[in-house]
Amino acid sequence: MAGRIIMHIDFDAFYPSVEERERPEWKGRPVIVGADPRDGKGRGVVASANYIAREFGVRSAMPISRAWKLCPHGIYLRPNLPLYVKVSYDAMSIIRKYSEKFQQLSIDEAFIDVTGKVKDFEEAGDLAEKLKREILTKEQIGSSIGIGPNKLIAKLASDYRKPYGLTIVKPEDSRKFLSPLPVRKLIGIGPKTEAALKEMKIDAVEQLAKVDVKILTEVFGKFGYRMHEMALGIDDSDVSEEGEIKSIGKELTFEEDVDDPQTILQALVDLIEEFHPELSSSGMQFKTVNLKVRYENFETHTRANTLGHYSNDMETIKKVARNLIQPFLDSGRKVRLVGVRVSGLRFGKNQKTLKEL
Ligand code: TTP
Ligand code: MG
């Protein structure tokens, strides 16, 4: 099989860029989207800062009070997520036209597989320049593009030169490109794994690539194998929206069948509290809450309620789930299993951060 050519597109300083296009007079000024700085006394964090604000040291996830100290003359804005979602949708529609093999990763990133569209990496580069220009002209949003033989390399490449960058990594250059990168750049390696690797004297991908895969699987289990593959630049995953998460939730079978409404309700609330962090960290929002109840005789019922809007709020899930389960509690019958899940998912990135603003 001939090699693939994959592109990863990531919009530059996405939230501030959307704000700036509405206000051309802000050109050249630092723009910071996030919590209310309240003259330096505000709580919460920066969602994103434009590249001018970044020159003052302002970064995503930094306390807004610190941003204020670094850049008191900046323009500080509360996030307008519905607007960002709309602009994201319009810009993603442009990207989709370049290949039917499309996969959106978050509110501001997507992959396309252009293997069948171009004859080589040079031509892919020309196509990427055209795509960047089209998004900029039609949506006034800058973007950076990475091109590589797979999704792993394409994503790392788009991050390599920003803003408005284009980085092409051919298959034969993949190892050289990956070698100096810090291991934390690899998908799934967060602060904890990074610290564990540091203990093993592994900082850069180059060092990770040299470690025996057996050692990695001993320490990290199955993920150790994936780490080894990534370090070698291997990623066979397809550019496809199929197989993506369609719903998030949990269910519980009681040790003994229960008819006490309080016990059942508490179990439901616990389930929601257990899976909600997964929803938050996925950056997804839901539209529908689904309930499942199984009586002692295995008779199983499902109920669903679709909201008029997208949400990622835990209290909303609890409220809707309570309403859905009420008739079952009223029945007085013994329950064997309860389950709750949210579906109708879409990206509404970093809602958790937004809620904390
Ligand atoms: P990113 O693509 O990580 O950041 P960015 O687009 O602002 O900047 P760049 O890509 O040029 O480095 O995230 C996209 C949007 O997601 C960002 O504009 C705001 C939001 N976001 C948060 O709300 N909190 C965060 O901690 C991060 C990283 C992003
Ligand atoms: Mg971005």
Side-chain angles (χ1 to χ4, degrees), residues 10-14 51 54 108-109 162 349:
D10 187 309
F11 305 146
D12 299 324
F14 183 53
Y51 278 80
R54 289 184 204 191
D108 88 325
E109 319 163 65
K162 257 183 169 292
K349 200 180 178 190

Side-chain angles (χ1 to χ4, degrees), residues 200 211-225:
M200 299 163 71
V211 182
D212 192 331
V213 64
K214 276 206 209 99
I215 296 174
L216 292 176
T217 48
E218 262 166 39
V219 182
F220 301 101
K222 233 170 73 187
F223 184 59
Y225 186 73

Side-chain angles (χ1 to χ4, degrees), residues 34 37 71 87 99 102 110 117 149 154 203 218 252 273 296 314 342:
C71 191
V87 176
S99 174
F102 167 95
K117 311 279 169 190
D203 297 299
E218 262 166 39
L252 167 83
E273 288 179 359
E296 56 180 339
M314 180 159 72
V342 290

Side-chain angles (χ1 to χ4, degrees), residues 2 8 53 59-60 118 152 154 179 204 216-217 271 288 317:
H8 178 261
R59 296 283 181 278
S60 290
V118 291
L152 169 75
S179 288
L216 292 176
T217 48
L271 286 172
T288 304
I317 309 175

